[in-house]
Amino acid sequence: MARRRERAGWMFIAPNLAAVLVFLVFPLAFSLYLSFHSWDLFSAPRFVGIANYRRLFGSDPLFLIALRNTAVFTVLTLVPTVAIGLAVASALHRKLRGIGIFRTIAFLPLVASTVAMAVVWRFIFTTDDGLLNLMLGWAGIDPVPWLTDPNWALVSLSIVTVWKSVPFATVILLAALQGVPEPLYEAAKIDGAGAIRRFWSVTVPLIRGPLSFVFVITVINSVQAFDQAYALTGSGGGPETGTYLLGIMLFQHAFGFYEVGYAAALAWVIFAILLLLTLLQLRFARRAEVEL
């Protein structure tokens, strides 16, 4: 009887195990294998050892540019996403009449296609007759080269990414806010704590876990950013190298230059960066919990 139950259990989890092996473990192992080879998709892979990694760190100046742009882009998207997401979640947490309508509107960017919304934003950012510059013109401000200047292009890309990322952060933080016990706020009020004091002493400590989750997910999405940059400024990471991110570099080498082995090495470097950042963030969060 016990053996039959064990066999039945294995049969139930077999499809999931097969899916994990085929769609997760095998691609990871194959990409690691390719990172030590030179492969152009058409001929047989040729073993080159650590040459791809040596080229990446030693003789490819575009890697440093992509790394710098990705770091700046991550900072430009991380702070506004967490701050605006927390502010919107706090506003939507209020028990007001018709709050469901505002929640629906706030979550709409979450279901929008990234490419479609990037195309719409491209029209908004147009220098000559774009909506944003028309509005700035009404205020007496000169047109801004949103997508034609390398520095402004990265800012524009960050604005679009924040607009897309805030609803997800809001969903997580709103759920966390709804789990904070109301008696704690009432006790803090009795002790004379104001709204700001209640927020920092009651709300923030109790939603520290979801905040850490939003932090990690936003960093991962920023480092892996590709589709919005591709749709907004093209596959070259332009203008010049203004939006040349790690995701764009990986796409270029894999499907533009057919250097799949080199792209696989870059993918594993991105994985190592994300793993390091996640471990550091978890370490800081755990230390904060201990101090709390």
Side-chain angles (χ1 to χ4, degrees):
M1 188 66 179
R3 186 169 293 180
R4 287 182 58 187
R5 287 185 175 178
E6 181 182 352
R7 194 182 305 130
W10 278 108
M11 289 180 66
F12 276 117
I13 65 172
N16 288 334
L17 276 179
V20 169
L21 288 174
V22 172
F23 297 110
L24 183 63
V25 177
F26 173 72
L28 281 174
F30 190 57
S31 68
L32 183 62
Y33 166 81
L34 286 178
S35 70
F36 297 102
H37 289 73
S38 174
W39 189 37
D40 60 1
L41 287 175
F42 303 106
S43 56
R46 181 171 54 85
F47 182 73
V48 294
I50 61 171
N52 287 329
Y53 293 96
R54 195 183 301 159
R55 173 187 167 191
L56 199 59
F57 290 105
S59 60
D60 192 343
L62 286 177
F63 173 66
L64 293 180
I65 293 174
L67 198 62
R68 183 201 62 194
N69 286 347
T70 304
V72 174
F73 174 71
T74 301
V75 173
L76 289 177
T77 54
L78 177 63
V79 176
T81 297
V82 175
I84 297 174
L86 187 57
V88 175
S90 300
L92 296 179
H93 183 51
R94 297 174 180 272
K95 296 176 181 177
L96 300 175
R97 191 175 180 181
I99 193 68
I101 299 175
F102 292 104
R103 288 178 180 175
T104 303
I105 295 173
F107 297 149
L108 279 179
L110 196 61
V111 298
S113 163
T114 304
V115 175
M117 62 91 179
V119 171
V120 172
W121 276 99
R122 192 167 182 165
F123 285 108
I124 294 175
F125 284 135
T126 302
T127 304
D128 296 331
D129 53 357
L131 179 63
L132 206 50
N133 277 342
L134 285 176
M135 295 174 66
L136 291 176
W138 296 338
I141 301 176
D142 294 333
V144 176
W146 295 104
L147 296 177
T148 54
D149 181 85
N151 295 321
W152 279 108
L154 196 58
V155 174
S156 306
L157 181 61
S158 304
I159 292 173
V160 177
T161 305
V162 169
W163 180 82
K164 178 69 177 174
S165 305
V166 162
F168 174 77
T170 301
V171 170
I172 301 298
L173 296 176
L174 179 60
L177 289 174
Q178 290 175 341
V180 177
E182 197 63 33
L184 291 179
Y185 290 117
E186 296 174 0
K189 280 184 183 178
I190 294 173
D191 290 340
I196 297 177
R197 180 68 175 173
R198 290 198 300 274
F199 176 77
W200 287 109
S201 301
V202 178
T203 304
V204 172
L206 291 179
I207 65 170
R208 195 184 299 277
L211 269 175
S212 299
F213 176 74
V214 170
F215 185 93
V216 170
I217 294 298
T218 305
V219 169
I220 291 174
N221 289 336
S222 300
V223 175
Q224 293 181 330
F226 165 72
D227 47 358
Q228 63 268 44
Y230 183 89
L232 203 63
T233 59
S235 61
E240 298 178 8
T241 55
T243 58
Y244 194 75
L245 305 177
L246 289 173
I248 293 289
M249 183 179 180
L250 193 152
F251 175 82
Q252 265 192 347
H253 284 280
F255 304 106
F257 308 146
Y258 298 110
E259 296 177 325
V260 180
Y262 190 62
L266 176 59
W268 275 93
V269 170
I270 295 174
F271 171 77
I273 293 172
L274 289 175
L275 181 64
L276 179 64
L277 291 175
T278 303
L279 290 177
L280 286 174
Q281 197 280 330
L282 291 176
R283 184 181 178 85
F284 287 138
R286 198 169 299 158
R287 184 181 297 175
E289 287 179 359
V290 172
E291 290 175 353
L292 181 66

